PDB file of all heavy atoms in Angstrom:
ATOM      1  N   LYS A  84      30.763   2.173 -10.094  1.00  0.00           N
ATOM      2  CA  LYS A  84      31.816   2.954 -10.748  1.00  0.00           C
ATOM      3  C   LYS A  84      32.783   2.056 -11.511  1.00  0.00           C
ATOM      4  O   LYS A  84      33.228   2.376 -12.624  1.00  0.00           O
ATOM      5  CB  LYS A  84      32.570   3.773  -9.712  1.00  0.00           C
ATOM      6  CG  LYS A  84      33.675   4.639 -10.300  1.00  0.00           C
ATOM      7  CD  LYS A  84      34.344   5.489  -9.218  1.00  0.00           C
ATOM      8  CE  LYS A  84      35.462   6.340  -9.820  1.00  0.00           C
ATOM      9  NZ  LYS A  84      36.128   7.183  -8.785  1.00  0.00           N
ATOM     10  N   PHE A 111      -3.444  -5.392  -2.530  1.00  0.00           N
ATOM     11  CA  PHE A 111      -2.142  -6.024  -2.717  1.00  0.00           C
ATOM     12  C   PHE A 111      -2.277  -7.515  -2.965  1.00  0.00           C
ATOM     13  O   PHE A 111      -1.405  -8.128  -3.593  1.00  0.00           O
ATOM     14  CB  PHE A 111      -1.246  -5.727  -1.519  1.00  0.00           C
ATOM     15  CG  PHE A 111      -0.879  -4.275  -1.397  1.00  0.00           C
ATOM     16  CD1 PHE A 111      -1.346  -3.513  -0.339  1.00  0.00           C
ATOM     17  CD2 PHE A 111      -0.108  -3.653  -2.369  1.00  0.00           C
ATOM     18  CE1 PHE A 111      -1.024  -2.168  -0.233  1.00  0.00           C
ATOM     19  CE2 PHE A 111       0.212  -2.309  -2.282  1.00  0.00           C
ATOM     20  CZ  PHE A 111      -0.244  -1.562  -1.215  1.00  0.00           C
ATOM     21  N   LEU A 194      -0.159   4.223 -12.902  1.00  0.00           N
ATOM     22  CA  LEU A 194      -1.541   4.538 -13.251  1.00  0.00           C
ATOM     23  C   LEU A 194      -1.746   6.042 -13.132  1.00  0.00           C
ATOM     24  O   LEU A 194      -1.199   6.687 -12.240  1.00  0.00           O
ATOM     25  CB  LEU A 194      -2.520   3.826 -12.313  1.00  0.00           C
ATOM     26  CG  LEU A 194      -4.010   3.967 -12.670  1.00  0.00           C
ATOM     27  CD1 LEU A 194      -4.360   3.081 -13.850  1.00  0.00           C
ATOM     28  CD2 LEU A 194      -4.890   3.621 -11.473  1.00  0.00           C
ATOM     29  N   ALA A 237     -12.568  18.120 -11.754  1.00  0.00           N
ATOM     30  CA  ALA A 237     -13.940  17.851 -12.194  1.00  0.00           C
ATOM     31  C   ALA A 237     -14.901  18.921 -11.684  1.00  0.00           C
ATOM     32  O   ALA A 237     -15.796  19.366 -12.405  1.00  0.00           O
ATOM     33  CB  ALA A 237     -14.385  16.466 -11.727  1.00  0.00           C
ATOM     34  N   THR A 279     -14.893   8.366  -2.510  1.00  0.00           N
ATOM     35  CA  THR A 279     -13.927   7.850  -1.536  1.00  0.00           C
ATOM     36  C   THR A 279     -12.595   7.510  -2.200  1.00  0.00           C
ATOM     37  O   THR A 279     -12.521   7.216  -3.396  1.00  0.00           O
ATOM     38  CB  THR A 279     -14.461   6.581  -0.843  1.00  0.00           C
ATOM     39  OG1 THR A 279     -14.629   5.544  -1.810  1.00  0.00           O
ATOM     40  CG2 THR A 279     -15.785   6.859  -0.159  1.00  0.00           C
TER      41      THR A 279
END
Side-chain angles (χ1 to χ4, degrees):
K84 181 177 179 180
F111 294 113
L194 186 76
T279 64

